[in-house]
Amino acid sequence: EAGVAQSPRYKIIEKRQSVAFWCNPISGHATLYWYQQILGQGPKLLIQFQNNGVVDDSQLPKDRFSAERLKGVDSTLKIQPAKLEDSAVYLCASRTILRGMNTEAFFGQGTRLTVV
Amino acid sequence: SQQGEEDPQALSIQEGENATMNCSYKTSINNLQWYRQNSGRGLVHLILIRSNEREKHSGRLRVTLDTSKKSSSLLITASRAADTASYFCATDTYNNNDMRFGAGTRLTVKP
């Protein structure tokens, strides 16, 4: 079974530039998450999708961050314009439901963003 | 907002010793998970325990859940240098699967 794929692995941009991250979840996983993990901290949930609908985006800074999951499969997360404090690892995860219960989540390797 | 809080923030032990990490959370949950993260890598799932379960084992790992105290513990027995990593708890709040993480415990196992 292929894992969660993310690209790029690393990105360096200047502040005020824009950047986009891509995630391909495990086939058949309806739930997809984007997390921001700042060095030394735990992952912070940015947005959660169920198929192509947004379940929770309460912690997404909507003035600069946007995300979509067209057709309920791949997802992209965009930052425009980037700030220095956006420097972090952006993690994508997916999971499914079996017999009405949540299962474990699978994470991609993440994209390390550095804003200079 | 973050849901769980791990304790301690950092733990350093010798190889062969046991390591215990704790997680406290704020709201009612459906289940709680523990994940491991090696430096610079993605998170790897360890154990999922449901709200109606009290204890679960997987190899050298033992997880307990006390919903009355809103807390969980992860015990790693006979630790190895390869167990050196950060450990996070994540909770699905009741009627949701929003999977929110705590700040983690940084475990160092010295050979």
Side-chain angles (χ1 to χ4, degrees):
Chain A
E1 176 179 82
V4 176
Q6 287 189 249
S7 68
R9 286 296 311 275
Y10 306 93
K11 190 73 177 181
I12 301 174
I13 62 172
E14 295 181 349
K15 59 183 179 183
R16 291 187 290 274
Q17 285 188 325
S18 62
V19 64
F21 313 126
W22 173 81
C23 173
N24 184 16
I26 291 174
S27 177
H29 282 196
T31 308
L32 185 147
Y33 307 87
W34 282 102
Y35 291 90
Q36 178 192 60
Q37 186 175 25
I38 292 173
L39 186 64
Q41 299 182 17
K44 172 188 171 183
L45 178 64
L46 293 176
I47 190 167
Q48 175 191 349
F49 290 96
Q50 188 72 18
N51 295 308
N52 61 348
V54 175
V55 176
D56 186 344
D57 63 357
S58 58
Q59 299 193 99
L60 186 73
K62 298 180 186 65
D63 57 335
R64 298 183 301 106
F65 286 64
S66 65
E68 60 181 10
R69 191 184 183 195
L70 300 176
K71 301 180 181 178
V73 181
D74 293 5
S75 178
T76 56
L77 176 69
K78 297 179 182 178
I79 307 175
Q80 182 179 11
K83 293 184 176 181
L84 296 177
E85 59 260 37
D86 298 332
S87 294
V89 175
Y90 290 85
L91 296 163
C92 178
S94 70
R95 73 198 296 198
T96 188
I97 295 175
L98 288 177
R99 293 185 292 277
M101 293 189 290
N102 284 315
T103 61
E104 66 192 90
F106 293 85
F107 281 80
Q109 288 297 299
T111 296
R112 183 178 298 275
L113 174 68
T114 302
V115 183
V116 298
Chain B
S1 60
Q2 297 301 100
Q3 162 75 314
E5 288 187 12
E6 285 88 343
D7 169 53
Q9 290 187 331
L11 180 62
S12 182
I13 59 175
Q14 294 294 135
E15 214 166 22
E17 293 181 340
N18 295 341
T20 298
M21 289 159 270
N22 303 296
C23 169
S24 59
Y25 55 91
K26 300 172 184 173
T27 61
S28 297
I29 61 170
N30 279 338
N31 58 61
L32 184 144
Q33 304 176 71
W34 284 92
Y35 287 82
R36 183 185 73 215
Q37 185 177 40
N38 290 87
S39 182
R41 299 195 169 202
L43 283 83
V44 174
H45 181 264
L46 298 176
I47 286 185
L48 182 151
I49 186 165
R50 304 203 183 276
S51 59
N52 61 352
E53 297 175 315
R54 292 296 168 258
E55 188 171 313
K56 218 166 180 181
H57 297 255
S58 176
R60 294 184 296 112
L61 306 180
R62 172 179 171 252
V63 167
T64 61
L65 179 64
D66 187 336
T67 53
S68 66
K69 294 181 179 178
K70 292 186 169 61
S71 68
S72 172
S73 68
L74 169 67
L75 169 66
I76 303 174
T77 60
S79 63
R80 306 165 182 169
D83 294 328
T84 294
S86 291
Y87 291 82
F88 297 92
C89 67
T91 54
D92 289 331
T93 54
Y94 188 70
N95 270 346
N96 203 339
N97 58 347
D98 50 350
M99 207 166 68
R100 295 178 186 269
F101 285 80
T105 293
R106 173 69 189 168
L107 174 66
T108 302
V109 181
K110 300 174 185 175

